[in-house]
Amino acid sequence: MAIKSGEVVCIFAEGQITRIGQLLPFRRGMERIMKGIDAPIVPVNLDGLWGSIFSFERGRFVWKLPRSIPYPVTVSFRKAHAVHDATV
């Protein structure tokens, strides 16, 4: 497993890309994946993606041109947490 070998793995706690541009409820998949694994969890926030090619804006994913190039987004990182400290 990539996490056990020390690789960085991105898991979206929502479990899917939103179709409405709002935060969806978190799902329990991350807890299942991290069960029994001693690796830090680094919370990351991606802001400003609505309207990018990765959003469902205009009724479709990916197959559209972004409103601007480069498309501005904000990526924020929080302090790493041990698995036993993290909750969904």
Side-chain angles (χ1 to χ4, degrees), residues 44-49 71-77:
V44 178
N45 177 58
L46 303 174
D47 188 41
L49 290 177
Y71 190 86
V73 298
T74 302
V75 181
S76 305
F77 298 89

Side-chain angles (χ1 to χ4, degrees), residues 40-55:
I41 296 173
V42 179
V44 178
N45 177 58
L46 303 174
D47 188 41
L49 290 177
W50 189 254
S52 74
I53 64 170
F54 300 106
S55 72

